[in-house]
Amino acid sequence: MAGKSYRIGVIGGDGTGPEVIREGQKVLGAATKKFGFGIEWVDYDLGGERYKRTGEILPDSVIAELRKLDAIYLGAIGHPDVKPGILEKGILLRLRFELEQYINLRPVKLYRAVDCPLKDKGPEHIDFVVVRENNEGIYTGSGGFVFKGTPHEVAIQESVNTRRGVDRCLRYAFELTKIRRNGKPWKGLKPEDIKARKTAQLTLCGKTNVLTFAFDLWERAFHQLGAKYPSVKRDYAHVDATCMWFVKNPEWFDVIVTDNMFGDIITDLAAMIQGGLGVAAGGNINPEGTSMFEPMGGSAPKYTGKNVINPIAAINAAGMMLDFLGEAKAGAAVEDAVVKIINAKIKSLAAGKMGHGTREVGDLIAAAV
Ligand code: IPM
Ligand code: MN
């Protein structure tokens, strides 16, 4: 059986990025054999080391090449010798913007109760998805200084919310909510919701009580579009309350949609309740273009090169990538293998405490696919 073959750009990047990406590639290697498709990896040398060596951050020619690939697999961006912001803006955010990856998708799923820092919460309580807008908000870089360096200096950083940008993000979130559990009702629904034929819930996370321009637009767009999705229950939570409920009642969430900055913040908290950055993965999605998948952990300089970092987040990101490429069965097999190995072999999800090295965890999961 000659399956399809995909061309995937690999940006190992900084710190532990290349180490965890290697394990993800190992696991996908096992998946390609089992499910009969191919992957051609195309390596890109980007990140702090290249910047220090050559002064180059992200050449335009590289963006043009990446655009033509089926997906991008990214390790981590951020180098201790480079001022914060240069590489993050110059590589990660630039790719998100130029490739119009307007969704940042972050599944939050607890695999094993012991990995959760919350009292009395287990896998049955933590299983939701955050849909973060990924091209607008405070992240556009709009703003500036006036009288910089003087006692009366002014710094302005503006939040950009376009109707088109908000609508396309909401549409993605509603579509995902509708199909996420294959139409099977989400168990957090109340009897009156079921009576009203709801099968799933989408929570808009905002700050309508203070951001009375930005979230006024979000809220109006949410309800206008939501009217076209009768099976989706519409819910709203302020961002501060969302943080509180992640800790107190994470079972209240099915799918959450939010702006770029709030999404950035709440997904770090969400990562902690699912067992930490060792397992948390994300996708920067352009449904019509080239998407980019990454572990959430960052470059973790202090663990670099020690074979101690947890590669599971990168492996989960690789699983998401397969799913987006249309290899849903292979994507599910990767996730199943992760769950199996976590339960059978991994002591703790924290770096250096897994009971195995980075490479060994990759071997175990690859063998379980
Ligand atoms: C993330 C990261 C990035 C962000 C940084 C590295 C720019 O924190 O992907 O969540 O803020 O989006
Ligand atoms: Mn973040």
Side-chain angles (χ1 to χ4, degrees):
M1 153 179 85
K4 276 177 89 166
S5 188
Y6 303 95
R7 295 188 72 225
I8 299 178
V10 183
I11 305 172
D14 297 318
T16 51
E19 290 171 62
V20 295
I21 287 304
R22 221 170 288 134
E23 301 314 310
Q25 290 178 289
K26 189 189 279 176
V27 172
L28 291 206
T32 55
K33 286 201 193 98
K34 176 152 181 197
F35 292 90
F37 61 93
I39 294 179
E40 183 197 334
W41 301 104
V42 189
D43 276 307
Y44 289 91
D45 171 25
L46 297 170
E49 292 300 326
R50 175 166 180 183
Y51 176 61
K52 280 172 62 183
R53 207 170 59 235
T54 68
E56 284 170 310
I57 299 179
L58 176 58
D60 292 345
S61 60
V62 171
I63 297 199
E65 282 181 35
L66 291 171
R67 236 181 247 292
K68 293 188 216 135
L69 299 175
D70 293 307
I72 301 166
Y73 190 34
L74 171 72
I77 298 294
H79 194 291
D81 302 343
V82 182
K83 189 176 169 226
I86 294 182
L87 301 170
E88 291 85 345
K89 267 185 142 171
I91 300 176
L92 183 62
L93 299 184
R94 184 156 174 232
L95 285 174
R96 286 176 181 174
F97 291 163
E98 295 225 10
L99 299 180
E100 275 198 73
Q101 296 162 343
Y102 61 84
I103 298 295
N104 192 313
L105 191 66
R106 297 202 167 161
V108 181
K109 198 166 175 181
L110 175 64
Y111 295 129
R112 186 174 68 168
V114 294
D115 300 317
C116 181
L118 305 178
K119 183 156 72 75
D120 300 332
K121 297 292 177 191
E124 68 276 28
H125 301 106
I126 300 172
D127 180 9
F128 59 89
V129 179
V130 178
V131 177
R132 163 185 171 188
E133 201 292 319
N134 211 29
N135 277 179
E136 301 194 335
I138 294 185
Y139 276 70
T140 60
S142 170
F145 290 109
V146 193
F147 311 123
K148 187 177 177 186
T150 72
H152 51 284
E153 71 179 309
V154 181
I156 295 173
Q157 197 99 37
E158 289 156 331
S159 173
V160 175
N161 299 264
T162 69
R163 185 66 197 237
R164 167 180 169 267
V166 169
D167 268 341
R168 68 183 178 179
C169 176
L170 290 170
R171 190 169 305 110
Y172 187 90
F174 276 109
E175 289 291 335
L176 175 73
T177 308
K178 195 171 82 175
I179 60 158
R180 176 165 124 81
R181 297 172 199 275
N182 300 319
K184 271 202 339 216
W186 171 58
K187 64 181 188 290
L189 292 166
K190 301 204 175 71
E192 63 265 31
D193 303 327
I194 293 165
K195 227 176 173 177
R197 295 173 182 275
K198 305 294 178 195
T199 61
Q201 172 180 276
L202 179 62
T203 303
L204 173 65
C205 165
K207 191 72 187 170
T208 52
N209 52 350
V210 175
L211 305 184
T212 51
F213 311 127
F215 276 95
D216 187 88
L217 167 55
W218 274 88
E219 198 178 33
R220 272 183 288 117
F222 180 63
H223 290 298
Q224 270 177 29
L225 188 64
K228 296 191 187 136
Y229 295 86
S231 67
V232 177
K233 178 184 176 185
R234 272 169 271 154
D235 182 34
Y236 173 81
H238 291 321
V239 62
D240 44 354
T242 302
C243 291
M244 189 171 76
W245 288 326
F246 274 7
V247 175
K248 191 170 166 285
N249 295 103
E251 67 278 9
W252 285 356
F253 296 104
D254 182 9
V255 180
I256 298 171
V257 63
T258 191
D259 82 354
N260 208 342
M261 183 84 262
F262 292 164
D264 177 49
I265 297 167
I266 67 171
T267 53
D268 265 30
L269 179 55
M272 288 302 123
I273 66 171
Q274 76 177 122
L277 292 174
V279 289
N284 301 277
I285 311 290
N286 176 345
E288 292 91 39
T290 305
S291 299
M292 177 166 76
F293 299 84
E294 50 169 338
M296 271 182 64
S299 56
K302 71 174 174 184
Y303 296 124
T304 301
K306 300 198 167 116
N307 197 39
V308 296
I309 194 79
N310 186 343
I312 293 177
I315 294 169
N316 279 339
M320 283 178 81
M321 181 162 72
L322 291 186
D323 200 46
F324 274 82
L325 288 170
E327 301 289 342
K329 273 196 195 144
V334 169
E335 191 181 12
D336 290 346
V338 164
V339 175
K340 189 171 152 208
I341 295 305
I342 287 180
N343 281 302
K345 308 262 180 184
I346 307 288
K347 280 206 196 105
S348 155
L349 299 175
K353 298 183 180 154
M354 298 183 288
H356 305 271
T358 306
R359 288 188 292 273
E360 290 67 38
V361 172
D363 290 340
L364 286 166
I365 296 172
V369 165

